Amino acid sequence: MLVTMIWGSNFSVIKWSLTVADPFLLAGLRFLLCAIPAIFFVRRPQVAWTYLLAYGLLFGSFLWGLCNLGIATGLSAGLASLIIQSAVFFSLGLSAWLYREKLHRFQWQGSCMAGAGLCMIIFVSDGTVTFSGIILVMAGALCWALSNFVLKESRTKELLGFLVWSCLFAPIPLLLMSWLSHDMFFLKAQFRAMTPSFWLGLFYQVYIVTLFGYTAWNFLIRQYSVSRVMPLSLLIPVFGLAVSALFFSEPIGYLKLFASALILSGLICNLFGERWWAAWQEKKRLQKQAV
């Protein structure tokens, strides 16, 4: 729960940080500090450099570069934390395509429910939603799903080392995009505007959200069954929406609540539907035998 609270609040920290820094510059500094000086203390994992490169670009450059840009266009931090969960459904589709895994009916039903919720969000008119923001964050979610497959294919057990060393490749395209989008004078002005509170928020993203959060989560995945740990990720948008409403006074109207409920219900149906249906069928079978 601590990790999900940290991840959920991260979107509000990003939104606040974007008042000072360009979206690509913010993400570039985040992953630059994730890699340096940590690479001098964490051993490089014994995997091919191509895995580190691919993961760094997908997870660092594309996921958070696009997510930051989506929030910068005006998308609510709380809704960004909710929409990013569409990575679950992208993962399902990619699994079916890459590994020929057959999707059960509850996964299809859950995907349809979540899709309907995402479509409803487009019609929210309280100033916290932009169509471009939704598309950008969903594109980031797709990159997150792809990065998970890269991690799986690498078969690494050195999770912290894999994360730290892959972060070496993320800042280069991000900082280059920031420079190409503006000019050196603009970037110098941004650095001069960075207050101690901005750097505190950036360190929160680097050391608490990224290095601690992902290491702790991967530790839990290794210690306990995935089926016990993964459902807790549903708390990320709950914390995200709550923190966003608390610090930015972002309204949570009935349409937004209903759309959020549809998306979360779709996720729950995807995670638990088949198991609950099998348990109910078994219960009915035992009741018939007892009669």
Side-chain angles (χ1 to χ4, degrees):
M1 287 183 69
L2 174 64
V3 173
T4 57
M5 182 181 71
I6 288 170
W7 284 351
S9 64
N10 179 47
F11 292 88
S12 292
V13 175
I14 288 173
K15 181 173 181 177
W16 178 81
S17 300
L18 288 172
T19 60
V20 177
D22 166 79
F24 296 119
L25 178 61
L26 177 63
L29 290 174
R30 173 182 176 179
F31 288 98
L32 180 64
L33 293 176
C34 281
I36 300 173
I39 59 167
F40 299 112
F41 304 98
V42 179
R43 189 181 66 175
R44 186 178 77 83
Q46 299 305 303
V47 297
W49 282 101
T50 50
Y51 288 119
L52 298 173
L53 172 63
Y55 188 84
L57 292 177
L58 287 168
F59 177 77
S61 302
F62 292 111
L63 165 57
W64 291 108
L66 291 169
C67 191
N68 284 9
L69 189 59
I71 295 174
T73 64
L75 183 66
S76 156
L79 286 180
S81 71
L82 180 66
I83 295 169
I84 201 72
Q85 297 303 312
S86 59
V88 172
F89 303 105
F90 285 127
S91 297
L92 290 176
L94 288 169
S95 293
W97 180 47
L98 295 174
Y99 300 111
R100 301 292 187 267
E101 293 180 2
K102 189 175 181 180
L103 303 182
H104 56 71
R105 60 175 175 169
F106 294 101
Q107 289 175 319
W108 284 110
Q109 291 169 2
S111 299
C112 291
M113 291 169 66
L118 287 169
C119 290
M120 287 184 66
I121 286 176
I122 297 173
F123 299 101
V124 174
S125 58
D126 59 7
T128 62
V129 175
T130 61
F131 182 73
S132 58
I134 293 174
I135 297 301
L136 287 166
V137 174
M138 287 190 69
L142 173 60
C143 294
W144 189 10
L146 288 168
S147 70
N148 288 332
F149 285 97
V150 172
L151 180 63
K152 180 178 180 179
E153 288 297 318
S154 73
R155 296 182 173 83
T156 183
K157 294 182 179 179
E158 301 166 281
L159 299 172
L160 178 59
F162 189 90
L163 177 63
V164 167
W165 281 84
S166 65
C167 286
L168 268 177
F169 300 98
I172 300 170
L174 288 167
L175 296 175
L176 182 62
M177 281 296 298
S178 182
W179 178 64
L180 292 174
S181 301
H182 306 286
D183 54 41
M184 193 56 67
F185 296 104
F186 178 85
L187 296 179
K188 288 180 179 178
Q190 292 223 308
F191 275 105
R192 286 196 295 269
M194 291 176 182
T195 61
S197 57
F198 168 82
W199 288 105
L200 185 63
L202 182 61
F203 290 152
Y204 176 81
Q205 293 179 59
V206 172
Y207 296 106
I208 305 299
V209 175
T210 308
L211 295 181
F212 169 75
Y214 282 95
T215 303
W217 187 261
N218 291 334
F219 170 78
L220 290 170
I221 291 291
R222 290 175 62 180
Q223 288 292 113
Y224 303 97
S225 64
V226 175
S227 61
R228 290 184 64 188
V229 177
M230 284 306 294
L232 289 173
S233 66
L234 295 175
L235 292 173
I236 295 173
V238 175
F239 285 119
L241 288 165
V243 173
S244 182
L246 179 64
F247 286 98
F248 297 106
S249 301
E250 292 177 351
I252 303 180
Y254 292 112
L255 182 59
K256 193 184 291 185
L257 278 175
F258 187 63
S260 302
L262 268 178
I263 295 172
L264 289 174
S265 298
L267 287 166
I268 291 170
C269 182
N270 169 65
L271 288 169
F272 302 110
E274 187 176 30
R275 190 190 316 169
W276 286 349
W277 176 258
W280 185 65
Q281 291 288 82
E282 179 67 14
K283 183 179 179 179
K284 284 180 62 178
R285 187 183 67 80
L286 292 174
Q287 286 175 344
K288 286 182 179 178
Q289 287 182 350
V291 171

